[in-house]
Amino acid sequence: MSSIILSCIILPFVMLSCSTILDLAAGDAFTTTTRRTLKKTLELVDSTGKRSVVLVPMVHVGKAKDYERIRQYLNKLKAKGYVTFFEGLIYTSASLERSYPVPVTYFPVWSDSVKSVDNSEILDTLIRKVRRGYGSDPFTLVNSHAKYGKISQSRSILGLTTSNDYWTDMSIADLVWQHENRYSKIVLSEYDWNIPLDDPKYNSRKAGGRIYRFVNTIRDEHLLSLILSSDFDKIAVVYGAAHTNQVKFHLIYDHHFKKVKCK
């Protein structure tokens, strides 16, 4: 079994600890700068004018100075009463039935409880299905940028460590289950089983290519439902650009939110 499975139940931006979280779902997740994030930040308000959603479209590999600018911006929003909703697939075989969103201050206890029920064989299969869905091995891709002077986004770098920060993503068990029940079963080929999980030579084209609904659609719908059902009136969504674009579309055209000058 791959050492990846045993190292952490959360797929990290950098392989450091279970407190670091990764999302690779955005189509441009591996572009090399985060400077455009603040330029494309957008505030939306509902028809009553009482609810505000600020979309902060992230790229997940960039320079430390760029992430510092974003951290400062998020701190200003939190000082104005905003909470953050941030992403990161939890690599566990357990279905997460706890009510969302999960406060970041609860993470240590919560992650221990999730880990205690993991089934290593099921988790191995789930991780291979996620790799198949993404079309690449996220572990090796994240670390490949270090030689270019880039770093990987993490909660600590962005200051997403306070009582105003909330995790709102999914477990890979729930993600795979939803895809297979709503769309189609993710069938693993002999190639998927034979290539180790940490092998950088994994080629999605040999396995059948990336699965868009798996990478984006299900998680976007999950995030949108949490925004709409939330009791918070001020939410900053810190997600990959591909996710925030979809959330923006549905908030504007399906739920009558309007664009206003950004905070």
Side-chain angles (χ1 to χ4, degrees), residues 175-192:
L175 179 59
V176 170
W177 183 88
Q178 283 205 35
H179 187 278
E180 295 192 335
N181 279 271
R182 292 173 57 184
Y183 302 116
S184 61
K185 187 173 179 61
I186 300 173
V187 179
L188 296 175
S189 66
E190 184 177 354
Y191 177 79
D192 288 309

Side-chain angles (χ1 to χ4, degrees), residues 23-37:
D23 169 71
L24 298 175
D28 57 355
F30 293 103
T31 54
T32 58
T33 181
T34 62
R35 276 175 258 179
R36 64 179 181 171
T37 292

Side-chain angles (χ1 to χ4, degrees), residues 49-117:
K50 296 179 180 180
R51 298 201 67 197
S52 169
V53 177
V54 175
L55 302 176
V56 185
M58 298 299 299
V59 290
H60 302 313
V61 175
K63 293 184 177 181
K65 64 180 181 180
D66 295 325
Y67 286 125
E68 174 60 20
R69 294 189 188 102
I70 297 170
R71 184 188 68 80
Q72 292 175 3
Y73 176 72
L74 293 174
N75 285 345
K76 290 179 180 179
L77 287 179
K78 285 186 276 188
K80 295 178 180 179
Y82 282 81
V83 299
T84 67
F85 281 10
F86 65 88
E87 64 184 321
L89 286 174
I90 303 296
Y91 272 50
T92 175
S93 62
S95 175
L96 304 182
E97 298 178 355
R98 188 185 186 282
S99 298
Y100 288 91
V102 180
V104 72
T105 50
Y106 182 69
F107 253 91
V109 174
W110 183 62
S111 62
D112 286 345
S113 66
V114 170
K115 186 176 181 179
S116 67
V117 298

Side-chain angles (χ1 to χ4, degrees), residues 5-6 8-10 90-96 111-124 126-127 171-173:
I5 297 176
L6 302 177
C8 188
I9 62 167
I10 302 175
I90 303 296
Y91 272 50
T92 175
S93 62
S95 175
L96 304 182
S111 62
D112 286 345
S113 66
V114 170
K115 186 176 181 179
S116 67
V117 298
D118 262 336
N119 179 302
S120 59
E121 291 185 6
I122 294 176
L123 185 57
D124 179 86
L126 288 171
I127 293 176
S171 75
I172 61 170

